[in-house]
Amino acid sequence: VSTQSTGSTTNCQRCLLLVVSSTCCCFNFVMSFLLPHLESGWAVDQAIVTEEDRVVIIRFGMDWNAQCMKQDEALAKVAQEVSNMAVIYLVDISEVTDFNKM
């Protein structure tokens, strides 16, 4: 993925939350379905480069992981509130393996 944007990361054991600025609970598992998923490396690139007005927030992790589920719950709760300033996406790294070695 090449981008000229700046970013910051927050790590947990198996999750990476990437914020890019561009000029085991069933209830928690459901949270990952409330937010849009990016299904390929190309889709991640497009989400970053095509967003001109808002911050792009991407949670890289596994939808079934407890720590990721906690992040998904928090992101889902604020998604509507920050929708004018940011767009939030999820990437399941067990399905989109392009970023596993970065």
Side-chain angles (χ1 to χ4, degrees):
V1 175
S2 65
T3 169
Q4 295 179 351
S5 302
T6 60
S8 64
T9 60
T10 302
N11 290 309
C12 77
Q13 230 175 23
R14 294 189 179 234
C15 300
L16 173 66
L17 180 64
L18 173 66
V19 179
V20 179
S21 175
S22 175
T23 294
C24 265
C25 169
C26 292
F27 175 73
N28 285 337
F29 186 71
V30 171
M31 290 298 175
S32 72
F33 294 105
L34 297 176
L35 296 167
H37 281 70
L38 300 173
E39 305 291 338
S40 68
W42 182 85
V44 172
D45 281 344
Q46 291 303 301
I48 294 168
V49 299
T50 60
E51 184 58 56
E52 296 178 5
D53 300 322
R54 299 179 292 176
V55 172
V56 176
I57 301 170
I58 304 173
R59 190 276 290 149
F60 291 89
M62 293 175 242
D63 293 342
W64 52 265
N65 178 272
Q67 292 295 320
C68 294
M69 288 184 222
K70 288 179 185 178
Q71 286 185 1
D72 294 350
E73 181 178 5
L75 291 169
K77 285 181 180 178
V78 301
Q80 185 62 36
E81 295 175 44
V82 301
S83 63
N84 290 334
M85 301 171 277
V87 59
I88 302 171
Y89 296 104
L90 305 180
V91 175
D92 189 326
I93 60 170
S94 62
E95 295 176 13
V96 181
T97 59
D98 303 30
F99 305 99
N100 290 352
K101 296 191 186 219
M102 296 184 157

